[in-house]
């Protein structure tokens, strides 16, 4: 009876040692493939599991039963670990092979990503800043345009009255249309300027209904109003007075003399009244040898 118990005890010890060796091998593989913390608890369990031989017969039977119980628990744990290892192996196979340069590539990609993210942030801030500047410029341009338009309108009325010796004239903004389908919907942006004139003794009418001289005077009044608001260094007028009679030419020259304080005018003309108001006259003459000659004359020296 004692020999049978000893054989059972040795067999249990042998099975327990085999199970412990297999468990340690799986534990090592588990640590290498996963590195999870559960393996540490399992290692503690495998280390603390030990079987102490007992001399008495009752103690022998208790050790045999205890060994059998541990074998069943360890078998269950081993099956669970095997399933876990198989699952992790499947996941590793699905991930593919391991690239040893992956950490370096990750750091390079991360650095590149951070750089591009910073650049995108800077670009977005620059876009917002430029949009704010554009909005501010739009407001400033709209305000300056309105101020300039009002000033030009006032000067246009004055010069028109001077050139026509009476009458009324004004400038009006024409609003832009939103779309071709809805032609009645105006826009806040002006699309053009409409000139409304009323010569003395006549009703208000379009420019196309005026005579050639009247259209020339209206054009001169508008030109003089622009030159009066923003005087340039010099201005060239090419036969602007060609369609004007003598009385209108006199008023035309009076305005020219006023504007000549800030602007130098070069006037191409065949009108004698305009020539008499000039300070210097340049002419082209052809002699008997059919050769053109340039002549100049300062009226101040001639009058002296």
């Amino acid at each position: 009876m004692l020999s049978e118990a000893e054989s059972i005890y040795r067999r249990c010890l042998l099975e327990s040692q085999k199970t412990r060796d297999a468990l340690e091998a799986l534990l090592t593989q588990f640590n290498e493939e996963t590195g999870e913390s559960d393996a540490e608890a399992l290692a503690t369990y495998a280390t603390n599991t030990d079987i102490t031989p007992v001399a008495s017969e009752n103690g022998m039977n208790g050790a045999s039963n205890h060994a059998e119980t541990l074998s069943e628990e360890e078998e269950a744990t081993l099956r669970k670990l095997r399933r876990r290892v198989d699952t992790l192996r499947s996941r590793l196979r699905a991930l593919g092979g391991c690239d040893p340069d992956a950490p370096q590539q990750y750091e390079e990609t991360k650095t590149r990503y951070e750089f591009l993210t910073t650049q995108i942030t800077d670009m977005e801030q620059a876009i917002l800043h430029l949009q704010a500047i554009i909005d501010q410029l739009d407001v400033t341009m709209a305000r300056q345009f309105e101020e300039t338009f009002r000033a030009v309108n006032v000067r246009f009325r004055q010069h028109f009255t001077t050139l026509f010796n009476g009458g009324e004239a004004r400038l009006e903004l024409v609003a832009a249309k939103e779309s071709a389908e809805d032609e009645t919907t105006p826009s806040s942006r002006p699309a053009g300027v409409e000139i409304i004139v009323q010569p003395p003794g006549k009703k208000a009418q379009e420019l196309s209904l005026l005579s050639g001289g009247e259209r020339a005077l209206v054009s001169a009044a508008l030109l003089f109003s622009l030159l009066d608001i923003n005087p340039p260094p010099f201005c060239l007028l090419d036969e602007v007075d060609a369609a004007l009679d003598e009385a209108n030419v006199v008023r035309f020259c009076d305005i020219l003399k006023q504007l000549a304080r800030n602007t130098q005018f070069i006037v191409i003309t065949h009108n004698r009244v305009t020539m008499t108001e000039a300070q210097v006259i340049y002419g082209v003459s052809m002699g008997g040898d059919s050769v053109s000659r340039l002549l100049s004359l300062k009226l101040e020296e001639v009058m002296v």
Side-chain angles (χ1 to χ4, degrees):
M1 189 71 180
L2 181 60
S3 59
E4 183 180 356
E6 289 178 353
S7 63
I8 295 174
Y9 176 70
R10 291 190 183 93
R11 186 171 64 253
C12 290
L13 287 177
L14 182 60
E15 292 177 356
S16 177
Q17 185 62 37
K18 291 181 179 179
T19 303
R20 188 178 293 106
D21 294 339
L23 182 60
E24 290 178 355
L26 287 175
L27 186 60
T28 302
Q29 184 179 3
F30 188 81
N31 283 328
E32 292 176 354
E33 295 184 356
T34 64
E36 294 188 359
S37 60
D38 293 341
E40 297 179 359
L42 186 57
T44 303
Y45 169 75
T47 304
N48 295 332
T49 303
D50 195 2
I51 300 175
T52 304
V54 183
S56 63
E57 182 178 355
N58 294 331
M60 192 72 66
N61 293 333
S64 176
N65 294 333
H66 182 63
E68 292 178 358
T69 304
L70 290 177
S71 297
E72 292 178 358
E73 292 178 356
E74 290 174 352
E75 285 293 337
T77 304
L78 288 175
R79 287 193 297 269
K80 181 179 178 181
L81 290 175
R82 287 193 184 97
R83 289 193 298 268
R84 178 62 176 168
V85 170
D86 293 338
T87 302
L88 293 175
R89 284 177 177 174
S90 300
R91 292 176 60 184
L92 289 174
R93 285 194 298 269
L95 291 175
C98 178
D99 188 2
D101 298 332
Q104 181 179 359
Q105 295 178 1
Y106 169 76
E107 292 297 332
E108 293 176 355
T109 305
K110 181 180 178 182
T111 304
R112 180 65 175 172
Y113 171 76
E114 293 176 352
F115 172 75
L116 293 177
T117 302
T118 304
Q119 294 297 316
I120 291 174
T121 303
D122 294 340
M123 291 296 295
E124 291 177 349
Q125 293 177 356
I127 290 173
L128 295 177
H129 182 64
L130 289 176
Q131 188 63 43
I133 294 176
I134 292 173
D135 295 338
Q136 184 178 0
L137 287 176
D138 290 339
V139 174
T140 304
M141 291 171 60
R143 184 181 67 254
Q144 292 181 353
F145 175 79
E146 292 177 359
E147 295 175 355
T148 305
F149 179 79
R150 287 194 296 267
V152 170
N153 195 11
V154 173
R155 297 295 191 280
F156 176 68
R157 292 176 181 175
Q158 296 175 355
H159 293 312
F160 180 87
T161 304
T162 301
L163 291 175
F164 279 88
N165 197 18
E168 295 181 358
R170 67 181 185 274
L171 302 176
E172 292 184 358
L173 293 176
V174 179
K177 298 176 181 178
E178 289 292 340
S179 61
E181 298 178 355
D182 189 6
E183 298 183 354
T184 61
T185 304
S187 174
S188 59
R189 296 172 300 175
V193 178
E194 185 177 358
I195 303 175
I196 301 175
V197 297
Q198 184 177 0
K202 297 182 180 180
K203 62 180 181 179
Q205 52 190 339
E206 298 179 356
L207 293 178
S208 59
L209 300 178
L210 299 177
S211 63
E214 291 174 338
R215 287 199 296 268
L217 287 177
V218 172
S219 301
L222 181 59
L223 175 62
F224 291 153
S225 62
L226 294 175
L227 295 177
D228 199 2
I229 296 299
N230 188 16
F234 62 90
C235 178
L236 176 63
L237 302 178
D238 187 5
E239 297 189 14
V240 178
D241 56 352
L244 304 181
D245 55 18
E246 186 174 349
N248 291 330
V249 171
V250 173
R251 293 190 289 268
F252 174 81
C253 291
D254 291 339
I255 298 177
L256 275 183
K257 287 188 291 184
Q258 296 176 5
L259 297 178
R261 300 171 184 173
N262 299 318
T263 302
Q264 181 180 1
F265 286 94
I266 302 174
V267 182
I268 300 174
T269 181
H270 296 282
N271 195 298
R272 290 177 296 176
V273 178
T274 305
M275 294 180 186
T276 58
E277 299 294 337
Q279 296 176 349
V280 181
I281 298 176
Y282 296 92
V284 180
S285 176
M286 182 178 294
D289 54 356
S290 301
V291 177
S292 298
R293 292 180 175 86
L294 182 64
L295 304 177
S296 62
L297 177 65
K298 291 185 178 181
L299 297 183
E300 296 179 355
E301 297 178 356
V302 174
M303 293 178 64
V304 172

